[in-house]
Amino acid sequence: MPIPYASLKHFLLGWLLACTLLAAPTQAQRFAAIGDYGYAGTPERDVASLVKSWNPHFVITLGDNNYDYGDSTTIDQNIGQYYHEYIGFYQGRYGQGSAYNRFFPSLGNHDLYTANGIPFLRYFTLPGNGRYYEYRRGNVHFFVLNSDPAEPHGVASNSVQAQWLKRRLALARAPWKVVYFHHAPYSSGQHGNATVMQWPFKDWGASVVLSGHDHHYERLLVDGFPYFVNGLGGRNIYNLNPQRTAAGSRVRYNADYGAMLMQASADTLRLEFYTRRGQRIDSYTLGKGLPLEGTLYPPAPNPFSGSTELAFAVPEPGRVQIRVLNLLGQEVATLFDADVRAGKRQLRWYQGALKAGIYQVVMTSPSGKVTARAEVL
């Protein structure tokens, strides 16, 4: 019996995809993330130029790849015009594509307005069903979801799609597990929280969640888990709502377009946001043994006489100041005051002229203010 053309086509595409994924560099560690970008014009061009200046191994997207209606007549000018070098099996009119796929998009609501996303699924050759899928690159295992309510397998935390994610996260062995999709679970922007996507990502084993939909940049820490909103890839910019700042919001920005640069090793995953002019707005590092927020460890020994060891850790670069206050709240010593990189540092605290008594050690960093108690004998 002859094989139906459609079945043969999908078989060949699957075989070719498997071959190219095997050919792709398994240790690629530098990648870019763009969100809400697919609208041909100067902002998207500028962001694409920024991304290419990083020479990333691949690009991920946080949805809304093809404004305004996800139509086949606009998809190439909105995507291929700027990113064809990264797209595997590229058949558009703007130049040569990649020998293997280096462009991994997630679906946004605008991509689904035409024929339930058929132009998107035909334009890209992606793993799985193309709507949600997984792949690994080096030290990072990626999980791409479809957060739109039109997803046939559901978007609730008990849906078929969610249970797929839970199972696959449990099986993943990469040091970092990055989940990304379009509708932001937590956001201080125009759309606000997409509560249906507030899945227990941390409990299921994810390292971080990236999303778009709201056209601003934001970093949040919710219940000890990091979320990022990145929707400044090329469409219009949204206002932030100061009356609706999301719980856990740490950094918010909407003054210009930009993209995220991420770099991974076995021990760290650094996430940075840059404007299209190259200005770094935010930098945050996830690290094995590195806290999610600035941490000041208690002196050891404590109480002490003469000197003691004091350690601190920060997940983002910036200025760190450590001061010693007496019980009246008066500053009696400055132990540290300098710009530092993300990581952990240790310093020796000498008693000097400090009299015996109880003191408060206060550390101020980009993450905020933390304190520790110390007793001098």
Side-chain angles (χ1 to χ4, degrees):
M1 178 182 293
I3 301 175
Y5 171 75
S7 299
L8 179 61
K9 176 185 176 183
H10 284 98
F11 170 79
L12 290 174
L13 284 175
W15 179 79
L16 288 170
L17 179 61
C19 291
T20 53
L21 286 177
L22 289 173
T26 58
Q27 293 303 314
Q29 299 301 310
R30 184 176 61 257
F31 57 99
I34 53 177
D36 301 86
Y37 69 97
Y39 189 73
T42 299
E44 184 180 4
R45 182 201 64 204
D46 291 347
V47 171
S49 296
L50 170 73
V51 167
K52 292 172 187 177
S53 74
W54 297 332
N55 192 27
H57 296 104
F58 55 96
V59 178
I60 70 175
T61 88
L62 309 178
D64 282 357
N65 307 269
N66 181 20
Y67 284 99
D68 280 312
Y69 303 105
D71 192 81
S72 59
T73 61
T74 58
I75 195 167
D76 198 34
Q77 71 183 39
N78 284 338
I79 305 173
Q81 180 176 184
Y82 304 101
Y83 295 102
H84 61 87
E85 303 98 317
Y86 299 95
I87 302 173
F89 305 102
Y90 177 68
Q91 299 296 318
R93 65 183 186 274
Y94 289 100
Q96 187 174 355
S98 175
Y100 53 88
N101 191 43
R102 299 192 293 146
F103 199 84
F104 297 94
S106 64
L107 278 162
N109 53 293
H110 284 270
D111 302 310
L112 292 160
Y113 288 155
T114 296
N116 204 28
I118 293 299
F120 172 97
L121 296 173
R122 288 178 175 171
Y123 190 76
F124 298 108
T125 303
L126 301 171
N129 59 31
R131 306 188 314 274
Y132 60 91
Y133 57 93
E134 65 179 310
Y135 60 99
R136 178 170 175 172
R137 287 294 180 272
N139 291 310
V140 187
H141 199 134
F142 296 87
F143 300 87
V144 188
L145 303 179
N146 178 15
S147 58
D148 194 90
E151 167 53 43
H153 291 171
V155 295
S157 60
N158 61 352
S159 65
V160 171
Q161 180 182 202
Q163 294 310 302
W164 167 85
L165 176 66
K166 182 179 180 180
R167 290 193 305 270
R168 300 309 299 174
L169 279 169
L171 293 172
R173 293 294 176 263
W176 305 107
K177 304 173 188 180
V178 174
V179 178
Y180 65 94
F181 49 88
H182 185 56
H183 298 80
Y186 303 94
S187 170
S188 301
Q190 179 173 303
H191 293 296
N193 297 347
T195 55
V196 71
M197 292 306 299
Q198 292 175 1
W199 300 359
F201 298 106
K202 178 182 178 181
D203 294 342
W204 291 353
S207 304
V208 62
V209 166
L210 310 174
S211 54
H213 199 41
D214 267 330
H215 298 185
H216 71 280
Y217 170 80
E218 186 167 11
R219 169 163 56 86
L220 308 97
L221 193 66
V222 181
D223 295 329
F225 186 82
Y227 293 86
F228 290 80
V229 180
N230 173 19
L232 292 174
R235 198 55 169 104
N236 55 318
I237 297 175
Y238 290 174
N239 290 327
L240 291 165
N241 186 349
Q243 306 301 321
R244 196 173 59 186
T245 300
S249 180
R250 295 293 186 269
V251 177
R252 297 175 298 281
Y253 175 82
N254 68 339
D256 198 2
Y257 298 92
M260 292 179 72
L261 171 64
M262 284 168 275
Q263 301 182 75
S265 70
D267 298 317
T268 61
L269 175 62
R270 186 166 72 245
L271 306 97
E272 300 175 297
F273 181 83
Y274 288 85
T275 72
R276 57 176 165 166
R277 312 301 181 194
Q279 179 187 4
R280 187 174 71 181
I281 299 300
D282 188 33
S283 178
Y284 188 78
T285 302
L286 293 169
K288 303 301 182 183
L290 191 63
L292 293 173
E293 295 196 275
T295 299
L296 177 65
Y297 299 95
N302 187 27
F304 73 95
S305 177
S307 68
T308 188
E309 291 287 337
L310 194 65
F312 67 91
V314 289
E316 54 197 306
R319 194 159 196 85
V320 173
Q321 185 181 66
I322 301 178
R323 300 174 299 137
V324 181
L325 309 181
N326 62 23
L327 292 179
L328 297 176
Q330 299 167 325
E331 181 177 332
V332 294
T334 298
L335 303 181
F336 189 86
D337 190 358
D339 289 323
V340 301
R341 296 179 179 179
K344 187 174 182 179
R345 299 186 62 158
Q346 197 164 21
L347 56 93
R348 172 67 63 174
W349 174 11
Y350 293 95
Q351 178 180 348
L354 283 181
K355 299 178 180 179
I358 296 174
Y359 295 89
Q360 185 181 47
V361 185
V362 180
M363 183 183 83
T364 305
S365 75
S367 296
K369 185 179 292 186
V370 291
T371 63
R373 180 181 180 277
E375 184 176 352
V376 178
L377 298 176

